[in-house]
Amino acid sequence: MPIALITGITGQDGSYLADFLLEKGYTVVGMVRRSSTITFERIQHIQDNIYLEQGDLHDQSSLVDLLERYQPDEIYNLAAQSFVPTSWNQPVLTGEVTALGVTRLLEAMRLVVPKARFYQASSSEMFGKVVEVPQRESTPFYPRSPYGVAKVYGHWITVNYRESYNLYAVSGILFNHESPRRGIEFVTHKITHGVARIKLGLGHELRLGNLESQRDWGYAGDYVRAMWMMLQREEPEDFVIGTGHTHSVREFCEIAFGHVGLDYKDFVVQDPRFYRPAEVDLLVADPSLAHQRLGWEPSVNFEGLIKMMVDADLKALQHQIEIGVLHVPERK
């Protein structure tokens, strides 16, 4: 059985990737940071089927030790400080993990398992102030946040190690991808969770930032499949992964509220606190190369994704109400 190491296994993408690789017959090793709080909710259903080992992208020796013990065939680097707004508050931390952490892992791979295959999670945020629309593999980067800048470093150091040391190392430039496992701090899950709360009588408004901000949103389960496909090719190559369609936050709200029979205009409040210091422009993928060379296609469309997330939040909150964790306030 091939062995795969996943950093960031407790995150949205890591958990879906672990599910996918287990179905493919892989032995899955997940790297987790030592923490006083346990955050294994997304992988609870597979925890008995995977190996969880402590390690940290800050600490070179922990990475070397992990690779020496497991000798993985594939390495998926999904760990990062991945929340864009936080990168303005913690720019140095973001650089240490999201940028230099990639170098530490590549260097450990070069020293211990140079024949392994390496996947780096690059991001559409690298395009930032876009030079062309849509964005493809050849589009120049112009990041607009410390997160985007750190991701550009991680992307180029992956290219550098591939070309300098002949490693099989690739980057997937993934556009926004969501799911019911998305962190609640991200705008998509913030919206669907807010919709569910309002529908169930647990809330009465939803505060958001720029409703005109546009993104290319897809389903995370589709995108982890693309990661794996990139490591199965004979030659390493970077790919843009996205749907090729863009939608605004306003459209997202309209569909989410409409799914439960509500009008978003009655509940959404724009709050300047949630505006970014520097907004990115029109992010929309040109995934034609991935279609041609990987045979990858998304299976869930924009509306289907939103309904999936709203339904999951309704189910989760309804369960909490039934077991008495949440209480619906009485109407005055």
Side-chain angles (χ1 to χ4, degrees), residues 236-255:
E237 187 174 6
D238 304 327
F239 288 95
V240 162
I241 305 296
T243 69
H245 304 283
T246 189
H247 302 275
S248 67
V249 174
R250 188 181 298 278
E251 285 180 81
F252 199 108
C253 290
E254 191 171 2
I255 294 170

Side-chain angles (χ1 to χ4, degrees), residues 12-14 16-17 20 219-229:
Q12 170 190 253
D13 291 6
Y16 278 109
L17 180 60
F20 179 84
Y219 171 53
D222 287 335
Y223 288 48
V224 300
R225 178 164 43 89
M227 298 175 189
W228 176 80
M229 295 171 86

Side-chain angles (χ1 to χ4, degrees), residues 7-17 39 42-43 78 181:
T7 73
I9 194 170
T10 59
Q12 170 190 253
D13 291 6
S15 65
Y16 278 109
L17 180 60
T39 54
R42 297 184 182 96
I43 57 170
L78 310 186
R181 300 182 193 175

Side-chain angles (χ1 to χ4, degrees), residues 64 86 105 118 149 151 175 180 184 199 203 264 280 283 288 295-296 299 323:
V64 169
T86 297
L105 188 51
F118 179 90
V149 172
K151 279 293 185 182
F175 280 65
I184 196 70
K199 180 63 177 177
Y264 80 95
V280 300
L283 289 178
S288 55
W296 177 84
S299 67
I323 64 174

Side-chain angles (χ1 to χ4, degrees), residues 56-319:
D56 199 310
L57 289 181
H58 287 98
D59 183 53
Q60 184 85 40
S61 62
S62 69
L63 304 176
V64 169
D65 177 64
L66 197 51
L67 296 185
E68 284 179 340
R69 277 190 289 138
Y70 284 95
Q71 299 286 313
D73 302 288
E74 297 174 2
I75 300 168
Y76 296 87
N77 184 38
L78 310 186
Q81 191 302 99
S82 60
F83 190 45
V84 176
T86 297
S87 74
W88 274 288
N89 297 328
Q90 300 181 16
V92 176
L93 173 69
T94 301
E96 281 286 346
V97 179
T98 308
L100 289 177
V102 186
T103 312
R104 295 187 188 103
L105 188 51
L106 281 165
E107 184 66 8
M109 172 185 165
R110 182 182 74 83
L111 295 172
V112 181
V113 283
K115 298 300 181 185
R117 298 191 168 195
F118 179 90
Y119 173 86
Q120 164 61 15
S122 287
S123 167
S124 60
E125 289 284 336
M126 301 188 305
F127 294 121
K129 190 175 182 180
V130 298
V131 177
E132 63 179 356
V133 178
Q135 294 87 51
R136 51 185 64 88
E137 290 77 8
S138 59
T139 302
F141 300 135
Y142 195 144
R144 295 273 280 171
S145 67
Y147 170 79
V149 172
K151 279 293 185 182
V152 169
Y153 177 97
H155 179 89
W156 280 117
I157 201 66
T158 302
V159 172
N160 186 259
Y161 267 68
R162 178 171 73 219
E163 296 178 349
S164 300
Y165 301 114
N166 198 32
L167 299 181
Y168 194 110
V170 301
S171 288
I173 306 173
L174 271 54
F175 280 65
N176 292 65
H177 45 287
E178 318 297 322
S179 76
R181 300 182 193 175
R182 188 55 139 160
I184 196 70
E185 71 273 18
F186 290 85
V187 67
T188 49
H189 199 182
K190 182 178 179 180
I191 293 169
T192 61
H193 188 261
V195 167
R197 285 182 58 82
I198 290 168
K199 180 63 177 177
L200 295 172
L202 297 168
H204 63 278
E205 70 173 19
L206 176 61
R207 291 186 169 270
L208 299 171
N210 182 11
L211 297 185
E212 310 314 320
S213 180
Q214 298 192 42
R215 295 291 185 275
D216 181 333
W217 277 300
Y219 171 53
D222 287 335
Y223 288 48
V224 300
R225 178 164 43 89
M227 298 175 189
W228 176 80
M229 295 171 86
M230 289 175 64
L231 294 194
Q232 310 316 306
R233 302 182 74 243
E234 191 170 327
E235 295 295 327
E237 187 174 6
D238 304 327
F239 288 95
V240 162
I241 305 296
T243 69
H245 304 283
T246 189
H247 302 275
S248 67
V249 174
R250 188 181 298 278
E251 285 180 81
F252 199 108
C253 290
E254 191 171 2
I255 294 170
F257 278 94
H259 182 51
V260 296
L262 300 175
D263 186 340
Y264 80 95
K265 296 174 187 173
D266 295 333
F267 304 99
V268 172
V269 178
Q270 285 191 274
D271 190 329
R273 289 180 300 162
F274 299 117
Y275 280 73
R276 290 185 178 188
E279 184 57 83
V280 300
D281 295 320
L282 184 56
L283 289 178
V284 56
D286 176 3
S288 55
L289 196 66
H291 297 336
Q292 295 164 15
R293 298 189 184 175
L294 296 178
W296 177 84
E297 296 280 351
S299 67
V300 178
N301 64 19
F302 181 63
E303 189 169 339
L305 170 66
I306 297 172
K307 290 179 178 179
M308 176 200 302
M309 293 176 68
V310 171
D311 289 344
D313 282 327
L314 281 170
K315 183 179 178 181
L317 289 173
Q318 187 68 56
H319 176 68

